[in-house]
Amino acid sequence: MVSKLKGISANFVVSFPAAFTFFTVYDGSKIALSNANIHPAYINLCSAAFGEIAQNIVRNPLEVCKQQMQIGLHKDIWETLRAVYRVKGFYAGYFSTVLRDVPFGAIQFPIYEFLKTTSRKLYHKKDDTKDSLPFWITSINGCIAASIAALVTTPLDVIKTRLMTQKSGYYKNVFDCASKIIREEGAKNLFKAWHIRVFCISSGGILFFTAVSYTHLTLPTIYSV
C-alpha cells in the first residue's frame, strides 16, 4: 500500500503554490487583456498559456522530485531533493513540461469557457447572462474540457515523463526523445496509457472546475466570472 502512495507528499507540496501561481497569472491576464480589443477566445487562450508558464516555474522542481519518488529511486522527499540537486537539477524537463502544459491549458480553458457560456445561455434561456450554473453542469463542462485537452497532449506527457525519469541521458531533448520513441517503439507509444491519463485528468477536471466555480461564487472578487 505504501509503495502505491509514493510521491504523494511531493504532490501535496506541489499543488498549492502551483495553483496559486496559475490563477494569479490567469485571472490577472484576463483582466488586463479584457481592456484590449481581443476576441474572448484568444483572451482565454493567452491567459491560460501565461498561467501555465508561470506555474511551471514554481512546480517543475517538485515535479521532478515527484517523478523520481514515484518510480522508486529514493525513499523520501528529502533524499530526493538532495539527489536531484546534485545530479539532474530542479529544472530537468522544464521545456518539455511547458511544451505539454501550455497546449493543455490553451485547449482546456477556452473549451471550458465556451461550454460555460453556451450552458448559461441554454440553462437560463437568455443571452449575455452571468448567472451561475448548477454544479452538475459545471462538472460536466470541466470533464469534457479536461478530457479533450488530456487526450491531445498525451504525447507531450509521455515525452516529459521519459525525460524526467531517465538515468543515463539517453534522450537529449524533446525532439530527440520523440524521434527515438517513434523510431524504436512506434508512434502509437506516444499515446501509451492515454485512457488512464484521460480518466485521471477528466476526474480531476470535475473537481477542479467545480471547486473554482464555488470559490468564485463564495469569495469576493474584483472581477466578474
Side-chain angles (χ1 to χ4, degrees), residues 12-217:
F12 276 115
V13 174
V14 168
S15 298
F16 294 106
F20 174 81
T21 303
F22 175 84
F23 277 105
T24 299
V25 176
Y26 176 70
D27 287 332
S29 298
K30 285 179 70 176
I31 294 170
L33 293 174
S34 64
N35 296 323
N37 186 23
I38 302 175
H39 191 279
Y42 294 119
I43 292 177
N44 295 325
L45 188 153
C46 292
S47 298
F50 295 151
E52 294 290 358
I53 291 170
Q55 81 159 344
N56 273 300
I57 294 173
V58 175
R59 188 173 66 181
N60 203 87
L62 287 170
E63 181 73 12
V64 174
C65 294
K66 183 197 75 172
Q67 297 277 356
Q68 295 283 311
M69 291 178 68
Q70 286 180 334
I71 62 173
L73 293 181
H74 312 289
K75 63 183 179 181
D76 58 45
I77 192 170
W78 303 114
E79 181 181 312
T80 307
L81 285 168
R82 289 193 294 271
V84 171
Y85 176 74
R86 288 197 303 268
V87 181
K88 286 181 173 291
F90 291 111
Y91 285 91
Y94 174 78
F95 178 68
S96 62
T97 305
V98 170
L99 194 63
R100 177 200 64 178
D101 288 352
V102 168
F104 179 87
I107 294 168
Q108 179 181 234
F109 280 89
I111 290 175
Y112 173 75
E113 295 288 353
F114 170 78
L115 292 172
K116 181 174 70 174
T117 301
T118 303
S119 298
R120 279 172 169 168
K121 291 177 181 178
L122 294 174
Y123 185 79
H124 296 291
K125 295 182 172 58
K126 58 183 178 179
D127 293 336
D128 300 323
T129 178
K130 294 289 186 181
D131 295 342
S132 60
L133 290 166
F135 287 143
W136 66 269
I137 295 180
T138 297
S139 298
I140 292 172
N141 291 342
C143 181
I144 293 171
S147 296
I148 295 171
L151 177 61
V152 172
T153 57
T154 295
L156 300 174
D157 186 56
V158 170
I159 293 167
K160 185 270 302 182
T161 301
R162 295 284 184 99
L163 287 170
M164 281 188 169
T165 57
Q166 65 174 330
K167 291 182 179 179
S168 62
Y170 179 64
Y171 301 119
K172 296 180 176 62
N173 52 50
V174 171
F175 305 106
D176 180 62
C177 182
S179 64
K180 285 179 177 175
I181 291 173
I182 293 170
R183 186 172 62 252
E184 298 169 7
E185 305 172 35
K188 68 180 190 317
N189 265 23
L190 288 173
F191 284 89
K192 197 169 186 177
W194 67 267
H195 52 295
I196 298 174
R197 174 171 164 80
V198 169
F199 174 76
C200 292
I201 292 182
S202 62
S203 301
I206 293 172
L207 298 174
F208 175 77
F209 284 107
T210 302
V212 169
S213 177
Y214 180 77
T215 302
H216 280 319
L217 288 173

